[in-house]
Amino acid sequence: MLDLKELVKYYPTVAGEPVRAVDGVSLHVRPGEMVALYGPSGSGKTTLLLMVATLLQPTSGTVSIAGRDVSSLSEREASHFRLSELGFIRQNFDLLPGVSAVDNAILKLLKTVRWREAQRQITPLLQRLGLGERLAHRAETLSMGERQRVMIARALSTRPSLLLADEPTGSLDTQRSREVLELLRELCRERNVAVVLVSHDPLAAGYADRVFALRDGKLSDYQPDVAAALSS
């Protein structure tokens, strides 16, 4: 499904020595598989996700989805790819204040279907996520865990083949983190969605099929004691 081959992103500096945000990362993620990447702030986690999401152009290397090189897409093609094939759960809760949970969840769907049909399509997923009784509640009245579930619903609303999750449990307590990770794993396996999750939370290791460490832009084998040190 997802293939990264020698992916590189360098940033020039005044001193002349470039910052190696991502430095030769290669990775394969299968449909229905959850892969977790650990790393401290500045390790290249978000930069890597932005390149996969076609929001940032790599310095070199390729990003392939189902055999298609998305790193060379035009702006229009990349926009269509993000809408139809990609789900992205960002660190911040990008919810519209004063807008209900269900209407926040359908924002991606509204680009292709009408409002009532979008609500009809998203409601079963929100119910599955435990928000059946909170559909009409405004975003600001939802708990942190509920807001994260709305973001998950939005990301999965268009039935993407690939889901990216940037610190999806960063604002949650341990219990809510477990619930979110369990739901992500269950839903993505059922829908055969490939998942790349980046985090500094060692809890995610118990839910991922494979785990790697990312530091100084380089991918390496995961060591639990190292990951714990990175998250402290």
Side-chain angles (χ1 to χ4, degrees):
M1 167 48 63
L2 172 65
D3 279 293
L4 308 181
K5 294 184 178 179
E6 293 298 322
L7 199 61
V8 172
K9 184 62 179 180
Y10 288 175
Y11 291 102
T13 63
V14 176
E17 182 68 22
V19 174
R20 301 181 179 186
V22 174
D23 195 5
V25 169
S26 295
L27 178 68
H28 175 72
V29 184
R30 300 182 296 272
E33 181 182 32
M34 179 183 287
V35 171
L37 307 180
Y38 281 100
S41 177
S43 63
K45 304 189 304 298
T46 298
T47 298
L48 179 63
L49 289 191
L50 291 175
M51 287 192 288
V52 175
T54 68
L55 292 168
L56 187 64
Q57 190 69 25
T59 302
S60 62
T62 59
V63 178
S64 297
I65 311 292
R68 181 189 187 192
D69 182 4
V70 300
S71 55
S72 61
L73 296 179
S74 68
E75 185 175 340
R76 182 175 181 179
E77 290 171 333
S79 178
H80 183 267
F81 160 74
R82 290 191 295 271
L83 176 64
S84 61
E85 299 180 51
L86 181 72
F88 199 166
I89 305 172
R90 296 175 179 270
Q91 290 186 42
N92 59 316
F93 296 139
D94 187 21
L95 301 181
L96 299 177
V99 176
S100 68
V102 64
D103 285 342
N104 264 294
I106 64 174
L107 291 180
K108 285 186 70 177
L109 280 173
L110 288 176
K111 296 183 180 181
T112 55
V113 299
R114 293 182 181 274
W115 175 61
R116 290 195 181 278
E117 174 60 18
Q119 285 190 326
R120 186 191 68 78
Q121 289 184 25
I122 204 68
T123 295
L125 179 56
L126 288 169
Q127 290 172 333
R128 173 69 184 280
L129 288 164
L131 293 172
E133 297 181 356
R134 307 286 282 171
L135 299 180
H137 287 248
R138 297 189 305 275
E140 61 268 25
T141 69
L142 302 176
S143 69
M144 298 296 280
E146 289 169 339
R147 294 179 194 184
Q148 188 61 284
R149 293 173 191 224
V150 172
M151 295 299 298
I152 292 172
R154 183 193 293 174
L156 293 174
S157 64
T158 55
R159 292 189 170 272
S161 57
L162 174 65
L163 178 71
L164 306 178
D166 190 359
E167 301 285 2
T169 61
S171 300
L172 306 179
D173 61 30
T174 300
Q175 180 57 35
R176 293 291 180 261
S177 294
R178 291 183 186 278
E179 292 173 359
V180 164
L181 289 167
E182 286 176 4
L183 284 166
L184 271 178
R185 181 174 63 180
E186 290 174 11
L187 285 166
C188 292
R189 284 182 176 174
E190 288 175 11
R191 297 178 174 220
N192 211 31
V193 178
V195 184
V196 178
L197 180 155
V198 302
S199 179
H200 63 267
D201 181 3
L203 184 64
Y207 296 89
D209 297 295
R210 290 185 294 147
V211 188
F212 298 92
L214 187 65
R215 188 159 198 172
D216 297 328
K218 294 182 178 292
L219 205 62
S220 61
D221 291 336
Y222 166 74
Q223 299 293 335
D225 55 335
V226 173
L230 294 180
S231 66
S232 61

